Amino acid sequence: MVFNKARSEISGETIPYLKLLDALLIFARIKNDDWPLFIIRYRDIIRELAWIEKRKLVKLCRKYPPGVRVTLALILKSLSEMNLHFEITKTVAPRVVDLYKEALNFLPAG
């Protein structure tokens, strides 16, 4: 009998990034008026990350629901990270992207 060791994406190195993605997941499920403020603050956190850290977030977000992926993609787009934005949006149906664009229209550019 042979066992293949599965590559786990959970490690001491990835936990902070997974926590960032989990925050998006949890807050998206809580419908309240603080959503715009949360997204702006979340965007400020993402802005402080180095490109390699943003890249790691994009890689890890593939296992998350479409809402988390699109929200992160639109945040990255507002930060002019177009390559990362396109990498995420091609994993989600265009209609879902359009729905989230409408919901996140308050997100300032730059």
Side-chain angles (χ1 to χ4, degrees):
M1 185 179 272
V2 177
F3 292 99
N4 291 333
K5 187 175 179 181
R7 209 176 126 230
S8 175
E9 293 189 3
I10 300 174
S11 68
E13 180 184 321
T14 60
I15 287 176
Y17 306 105
L18 293 170
K19 285 183 178 182
L20 279 173
L21 293 169
D22 286 345
L24 256 185
L25 179 65
I26 292 166
F27 207 89
R29 291 182 179 169
I30 302 170
K31 301 292 183 197
N32 65 33
D33 297 333
D34 292 333
W35 177 248
L37 181 60
F38 170 79
I39 291 296
I40 299 297
R41 287 184 178 168
Y42 192 89
R43 180 178 176 255
D44 291 341
I45 292 169
I46 301 300
R47 176 185 285 135
E48 297 299 319
L49 297 177
W51 186 86
I52 195 81
E53 293 172 313
K54 293 174 191 170
R55 175 79 178 101
K56 190 171 293 195
L57 262 180
V58 167
K59 192 173 181 182
L60 291 170
C61 84
R62 291 181 182 154
K63 305 249 178 174
Y64 280 80
V68 171
R69 287 182 276 155
V70 173
T71 303
L72 181 61
L74 293 173
I75 289 170
L76 289 168
K77 181 180 180 182
S78 75
L79 295 172
S80 301
E81 295 285 357
M82 299 310 287
N83 289 338
L84 296 175
H85 162 76
F86 288 127
E87 189 173 332
I88 298 173
T89 54
K90 67 183 175 184
T91 68
V92 182
R95 179 68 185 133
V96 175
V97 175
D98 291 341
L99 287 171
Y100 277 83
K101 276 184 187 176
E102 292 172 18
L104 296 173
N105 62 3
F106 61 85
L107 206 55

